[in-house]
């Protein structure tokens, strides 16, 4: 039987690195730390090896389809498939960034939504039946960050398709370039990208139900990382709790959900707790 395989994108630091560490400690299979930058990725692997852990490394730039295809072919040929995929890689411009909103919108959505989507489209065909996919989201991904009610209804449409969702993401980028985005979409490109990721999670789950694949999104909390400018109040280990729970421990019935870092299932609309997933099986 082929070894089980777990993959973490953007795994060389922060929550991604802590997730790799936790998988190495508990996952019964092979764990791949991936990163865009080879030197940083190999350094992270070396550091984990000093802790007595043994992740493997492969270069993976989610914004480069060729890189993802090379990785897919390697994993397929070597192991036959993937059992856990943690989509962690993302970018975030600081609140005080002077980069124009047109650039923030295009770049943030390109990485956080479109590149995650293309990575999934390339890797999903080699997911094994029963696999788990974890989309690392944010509290910024709450639907109420979208101000226009008609837009919110489009995101919540139970028949929403990926092409339709991608068109919504393009509509935002276009509005940002025109400077007409604020009234409908708010002022945070990061929030829009994570709303898109949460919507994608639900669509992906619907498409993969017949293969018993679980796809969920998680807000890891306000974590002390480069992305939070180290203002976060949680450690990276605490930030990895939610991703690890979904990758290893959540009941199989937890599908297409939005979880908080303490593993509570919450409303996508406003983050209101729905179920405590540690003790309640979601039907």
């Amino acid at each position: 039987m082929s070894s089980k395989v777990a993959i973490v994108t953007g795994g060389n630091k922060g929550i991604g690195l802590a997730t790799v560490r936790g998988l190495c400690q508990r996952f019964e299979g092979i764990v791949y730390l991936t990163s865009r930058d080879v030197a940083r990725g190999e350094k992270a692997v070396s550091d984990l090896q000093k802790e007595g852990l043994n992740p493997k490394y492969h270069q993976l730039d989610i914004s480069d389809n060729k890189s993802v295809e090379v990785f897919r072919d390697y994993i397929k040929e070597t192991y036959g498939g993937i059992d856990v995929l943690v989509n962690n890689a993302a970018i975030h411009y600081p609140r005080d960034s002077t980069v124009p909103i047109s650039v923030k919108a295009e770049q943030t959505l390109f990485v956080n939504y479109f590149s995650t989507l293309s990575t999934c489209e390339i890797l999903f065909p080699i997911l094994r039946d029963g696999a788990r996919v974890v989309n690392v989201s944010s509290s910024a991904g709450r639907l109420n960050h979208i101000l226009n009610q008609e837009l919110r209804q489009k995101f919540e449409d139970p028949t929403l398709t990926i092409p339709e969702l991608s068109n919504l993401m393009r509509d935002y980028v276009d509005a940002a370039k025109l400077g007409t985005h604020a009234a409908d979409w708010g002022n945070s490109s990061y929030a829009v990208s994570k709303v898109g990721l949460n919507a994608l999670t639900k669509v992906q789950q619907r498409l993969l139900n017949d293969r018993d694949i679980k796809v969920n999104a998680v807000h890891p909390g306000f974590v002390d990382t480069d992305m939070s400018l180290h203002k976060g109040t949680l450690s990276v280990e605490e930030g990895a709790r939610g991703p690890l729970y979904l990758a290893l421990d959540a009941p199989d019935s937890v599908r297409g959900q939005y979880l908080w870092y303490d593993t509570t299932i919450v409303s996508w609309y406003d983050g209101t707790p729905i179920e405590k997933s540690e003790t309640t099986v979601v039907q």
Side-chain angles (χ1 to χ4, degrees), residues 6-283:
I7 312 295
V8 180
T9 70
N12 62 287
K13 64 179 181 178
I15 295 166
L17 179 58
T19 302
V20 172
R21 178 182 289 111
L23 287 170
C24 285
Q25 291 168 341
R26 297 188 50 216
F27 181 67
E28 294 180 357
I30 294 165
V31 179
Y32 267 86
L33 184 158
T34 72
S35 67
R36 180 176 56 181
D37 185 280
V38 173
R40 292 176 181 175
E42 291 180 342
K43 171 66 164 53
V45 167
S46 177
D47 290 343
L48 289 174
Q49 288 173 339
K50 293 174 184 176
E51 299 176 20
L53 304 174
N54 191 35
K56 293 185 179 294
Y57 177 75
H58 200 288
Q59 193 273 345
L60 178 62
D61 179 354
I62 69 165
S63 67
D64 179 354
N65 283 354
K66 181 62 177 176
S67 170
V68 183
E69 289 166 356
V70 168
F71 179 66
R72 174 204 60 200
D73 293 346
Y74 168 77
I75 292 295
K76 183 178 180 180
E77 181 178 345
T78 308
Y79 306 103
I82 297 171
D83 300 277
V84 171
L85 174 62
V86 181
N87 289 310
N88 170 72
I91 65 169
H92 178 247
Y93 285 90
R95 186 182 297 271
D96 60 356
S97 170
T98 59
V99 173
I101 184 63
S102 58
V103 177
K104 286 182 184 177
E106 188 164 53
Q107 292 302 311
T108 302
L109 267 71
F110 172 65
V111 175
N112 296 0
Y113 174 78
F114 287 104
S115 295
T116 299
L117 170 60
S118 61
T119 296
C120 290
E121 289 178 334
I122 292 168
L123 295 182
F124 274 15
I126 66 167
L127 288 176
R128 293 192 177 102
D129 290 352
R132 293 182 174 217
V133 177
V134 182
N135 292 328
V136 179
S137 186
S138 166
S139 61
R142 301 191 306 269
L143 189 56
N144 62 359
H145 281 109
I146 305 300
L147 304 180
N148 182 290
Q149 183 176 355
E150 290 184 7
L151 280 175
R152 290 199 298 264
Q153 290 173 342
K154 290 179 180 179
F155 280 106
E156 287 185 298
D157 185 344
T159 66
L160 181 68
T161 66
I162 289 176
E164 289 169 345
L165 174 58
S166 294
N167 283 337
L168 285 172
M169 296 290 96
R170 293 187 188 97
D171 287 346
Y172 165 70
V173 174
D174 290 343
K177 289 181 177 180
L178 292 172
T180 61
H181 62 286
D184 293 330
W185 297 91
N187 285 310
S188 172
S189 297
Y190 184 74
V192 174
S193 76
K194 292 302 186 177
V195 168
L197 182 65
N198 285 350
L200 179 63
T201 298
K202 294 182 178 299
V203 177
Q204 288 174 332
Q205 181 62 73
R206 194 172 74 236
L207 296 174
L208 291 169
N209 267 332
D210 62 348
R211 294 181 56 198
D212 191 31
I213 293 172
K214 280 69 70 174
V215 188
N216 292 284
V218 60
H219 161 49
F222 189 37
V223 182
D224 180 6
T225 64
D226 289 349
M227 188 173 286
S228 71
L229 301 177
H230 297 283
K231 295 178 180 179
T233 56
L234 300 177
S235 69
V236 291
E237 287 74 23
E238 290 171 315
R241 178 183 175 188
L244 288 169
Y245 173 77
L246 288 174
L248 300 173
D249 302 317
D252 284 348
S253 54
V254 178
R255 301 165 183 244
Q257 299 286 1
Y258 179 36
L259 277 74
W260 236 232
Y261 59 93
D262 65 356
T263 75
T264 301
I265 296 173
V266 300
S267 161
W268 177 28
Y269 181 77
D270 61 6
T272 301
I274 297 174
E275 302 274 10
K276 186 66 177 179
S277 57
E278 290 176 312
T279 56
T280 304
V281 175
V282 179
Q283 303 298 329

